[in-house]
Amino acid sequence: MPVRVALFGRTGRLGQRLVFFMVLSSAALSTVASGVQLYLSYARDREQVSRDFEVIETSFREPLETALWTFNFRQIESILDGIAAGQNVVDIELKASSGHAWSRGTGDVLTDPIARRFELIRETAAGEVEVLGTLDVGLTLAYVNDRLWTQFLTLFVSNLAKTFLASIAMLLIFDLLVTRHLRQITRALGKRDWTETTEALRLDRPALDVADDLDRIVQAINGAKQRISQSLTELEREVSERRQAETVAVRASEVRRAFLSTMSHEVRTPLNAILGLLELIEHADIPDRQKRQAKAAQVSANALLKQLSNVLEVAQLEAKALELRIELTPIATLVHECEGLIEGAIAHSGKPIENSVSVAQDVPSEVRIDKSRVVQILVNLIDNAVRFTEVGRISLQMDVISDLQKTVALRIRVTDTGVGISIEDQSHIFERFSQVENVMTRRHGGSGLGLSICKELAALMGGRVELESTPGQGSSFALILPLETEGV
């Protein structure tokens, strides 16, 4: 396979980063190394410049003192010219005790980077020291700095060039040993039928005696491919099993629906016939003992019919086979039925319970609801209120409320002064087959389906059932339905 290195373009971004970071790190190291070398050269050259003062003192000081003593001005000029010829000398200023002065350069010795003053003296015959004048010499490091900067740039550029060439060579080697194999792996993994082929991935290179990182990557990929293939096989098998189970479940649902339809007609019809016969027996001219027995049988048959209806209702809700009939309903008609429900339930229980029905002024005269389902919910709520209230009062209030989303709703609240419900039981009282464990429940029994049906019917109509209860003080169940009105 030919070696192809893409230094530019999308496929060569790894190589570009490799070259970039190698050049960057080399530039940083070259800068530090050149800086250290520059500093050492600077210190050495500065010391060399400082030796120029020693040369001036040993070579020019004594001749200059002699020339000043003898007032040999021409010799003084020659000596100063000789000092000024030095490579690093920029300023010279000679002041004689006689008042004469000479200068070379800028004449501003004190501003020079390196300056030194020499006192010119002569020892008399009597051993006394006579000052002939002063010599100020200023040296500069400009030549040294220029040379050092040139040296630094030369080193830096040469190191950078060598690093760049080495990076290119490293990139070629990296592509030969690593990148081209990564491209091969990418192409293999990019194929759609990668997991379907049985052929293992192999790198296009001679086999090595000792496995390296690329070999371990290939081994891991081949192992993952095998595991994925096994997982896909198991997944396909599981999907097939689930489809078969779904088919069986659909058939079972159809059988259950047919069974429920049959039960609805085949069981209710004889039960209704039994209830009719028991009612005839109760009104027949027979002894009172037999009438009581017929009455007891009628009560049991009614309870059986109610429980059967609840079970069929739950089955219809689960199968989503229950249809609503939303119609425009006068509130007065609904109120009249509620009054009859409460009075009938209390009369049937024989308990000394008072009752009341009230309607708020903001309740519209007509609402769009499924009246039969609303009455079904209220029957359950009123029946529970009567069952769990021995004495006191049961009230039904209708009003209009709105929530935070400004949704207007009709609220029908059934409140009793019965035994109440504990906080622990309130959390699961709407669950199917759930009953509150107290004396009243055990006394009156029940399947635990009534409140569950109420909740699901309310949800089916877009509403909800809320509960507020205090143990020993009573309970309040509220049916809340979105309000749809016409002509209001």
Side-chain angles (χ1 to χ4, degrees):
M1 177 181 294
V3 178
R4 181 173 59 87
V5 182
L7 288 178
F8 304 100
R10 295 184 178 179
T11 59
R13 289 180 177 175
L14 182 61
Q16 292 174 18
R17 289 196 296 269
L18 178 64
V19 172
F20 173 76
F21 285 113
M22 288 186 65
V23 172
L24 183 63
S25 59
S26 178
L29 294 175
S30 297
T31 302
V32 173
S34 300
V36 172
Q37 187 174 358
L38 181 65
Y39 174 77
L40 296 176
S41 298
Y42 176 79
R44 185 172 58 253
D45 291 343
R46 183 184 177 91
E47 184 179 356
Q48 182 64 37
V49 170
S50 299
R51 292 197 184 98
D52 290 346
F53 290 120
E54 299 177 4
V55 174
I56 294 173
E57 185 172 5
T58 56
S59 302
F60 297 98
R61 182 175 182 176
E62 185 176 349
L64 192 57
E65 289 174 344
T66 303
L68 283 175
W69 175 254
T70 59
F71 294 98
N72 188 347
F73 296 142
R74 182 177 296 178
Q75 187 177 2
I76 291 175
E77 294 285 349
S78 300
I79 294 173
L80 293 179
D81 291 338
I83 296 175
Q87 184 178 16
N88 300 316
V89 178
V90 290
D91 291 314
I92 301 174
E93 186 175 350
L94 175 62
K95 294 181 180 178
S97 301
S98 60
H100 295 84
W102 296 266
S103 64
R104 297 288 187 275
T106 60
D108 193 4
V109 180
L110 298 179
T111 61
D112 292 328
I114 303 175
R116 184 173 176 181
R117 172 169 291 181
F118 299 93
E119 286 191 354
L120 304 177
I121 60 175
R122 180 178 175 79
E123 187 175 351
T124 62
E128 296 180 356
V129 177
E130 180 179 356
V131 178
L132 301 177
T134 57
L135 174 64
D136 294 318
V137 180
L139 304 180
T140 181
L141 297 175
Y143 173 76
V144 174
N145 293 337
D146 292 341
R147 184 175 58 81
L148 291 178
W149 274 114
T150 302
Q151 180 182 358
F152 172 77
L153 292 175
T154 301
L155 290 173
F156 181 79
V157 171
S158 62
N159 289 337
L160 196 62
K162 288 187 291 185
T163 302
F164 183 77
L165 294 176
S167 301
I168 298 298
M170 182 64 69
L171 179 59
L172 291 171
I173 297 174
F174 184 78
D175 183 84
L176 180 64
L177 297 179
V178 178
T179 308
R180 70 186 185 96
H181 299 302
L182 294 179
R183 287 197 296 267
Q184 180 185 354
I185 294 173
T186 303
R187 286 193 299 269
L189 296 180
K191 294 180 180 179
R192 292 187 177 182
D193 59 346
W194 172 68
T195 56
E196 299 176 1
T197 59
T198 58
E199 184 180 357
L201 175 64
R202 292 184 178 85
L203 296 180
D204 184 16
R205 65 173 183 175
L208 302 178
D209 296 335
V210 180
D212 59 6
D213 294 337
L214 287 175
D215 290 329
R216 284 189 284 271
I217 292 175
V218 171
Q219 292 173 3
I221 291 175
N222 288 329
K225 176 183 176 180
Q226 185 177 4
R227 290 191 296 271
I228 292 174
S229 299
Q230 294 175 354
S231 299
L232 289 176
T233 302
E234 294 177 359
L235 183 61
E236 290 175 355
R237 179 178 54 80
E238 184 177 351
V239 169
S240 177
E241 292 176 354
R242 287 182 179 271
R243 286 177 178 173
Q244 294 176 2
E246 183 180 358
T247 303
V248 173
V250 170
R251 292 177 181 174
S253 178
E254 293 175 353
V255 172
R256 181 178 63 177
R257 186 174 300 179
F259 172 76
L260 291 175
S261 178
T262 302
M263 287 287 292
S264 179
H265 295 284
E266 301 298 330
V267 178
R268 286 182 180 180
T269 299
L271 271 178
N272 287 327
I274 291 171
L275 287 172
L277 291 173
L278 289 174
E279 187 174 356
L280 291 175
I281 293 173
E282 185 181 0
H283 293 88
D285 187 14
I286 58 176
D288 293 339
R289 181 169 176 269
Q290 294 178 356
K291 287 185 178 182
R292 289 194 300 272
Q293 292 174 347
K295 180 64 176 179
Q298 187 179 14
V299 171
S300 298
N302 276 319
L304 178 60
L305 180 60
K306 182 178 180 181
Q307 299 303 331
L308 177 62
S309 298
N310 284 338
V311 172
L312 294 176
E313 195 82 28
V314 169
Q316 285 184 321
L317 288 170
E318 283 186 348
K320 297 182 180 180
L322 195 147
E323 298 181 357
L324 298 177
R325 297 180 60 184
I326 306 297
E327 298 177 343
L328 191 62
T329 303
I331 286 294
T333 302
L334 183 61
V335 171
H336 180 71
E337 291 195 22
C338 290
E339 290 175 345
L341 290 174
I342 294 178
E343 291 174 357
I346 294 175
H348 185 267
S349 68
K351 298 178 181 179
I353 302 175
E354 299 179 358
N355 68 89
S356 65
V357 177
S358 61
V359 181
Q361 295 181 354
D362 56 352
V363 176
S365 59
E366 293 180 326
V367 293
R368 292 188 60 81
I369 58 174
D370 186 334
K371 186 172 73 69
S372 62
R373 297 302 176 184
V374 172
V375 171
Q376 181 181 352
I377 294 174
L378 294 178
V379 167
N380 276 283
L381 298 182
I382 292 171
D383 180 64
N384 283 341
V386 173
R387 287 171 59 201
F388 298 106
T389 302
E390 295 299 317
V391 294
R393 186 178 187 84
I394 295 175
S395 61
L396 185 146
Q397 301 97 18
M398 293 186 186
D399 57 3
V400 175
I401 62 173
S402 59
D403 54 20
L404 296 177
Q405 287 74 30
K406 298 183 179 179
T407 301
V408 180
L410 174 66
R411 179 173 62 180
I412 306 176
R413 184 164 50 188
V414 178
T415 305
D416 63 65
T417 57
V419 295
I421 304 171
S422 65
I423 297 177
E424 293 79 8
D425 292 326
Q426 290 180 28
S427 60
H428 56 80
I429 195 170
F430 290 102
E431 299 175 0
R432 291 178 184 172
F433 307 105
S434 174
Q435 291 182 300
V436 179
E437 288 296 332
N438 55 34
V439 176
M440 297 299 295
T441 298
R442 290 191 293 271
R443 180 183 303 173
H444 296 282
S447 63
L449 292 175
L451 290 178
S452 171
I453 294 174
C454 291
K455 177 183 176 182
E456 295 187 33
L457 286 175
L460 190 62
M461 293 185 287
R464 62 188 184 276
V465 178
E466 295 182 349
L467 166 63
E468 294 180 4
S469 182
T470 303
Q473 298 182 15
S475 304
S476 176
F477 288 85
L479 169 62
I480 300 174
L481 299 172
L483 188 60
E484 299 183 21
T485 61
E486 287 189 4
V488 181

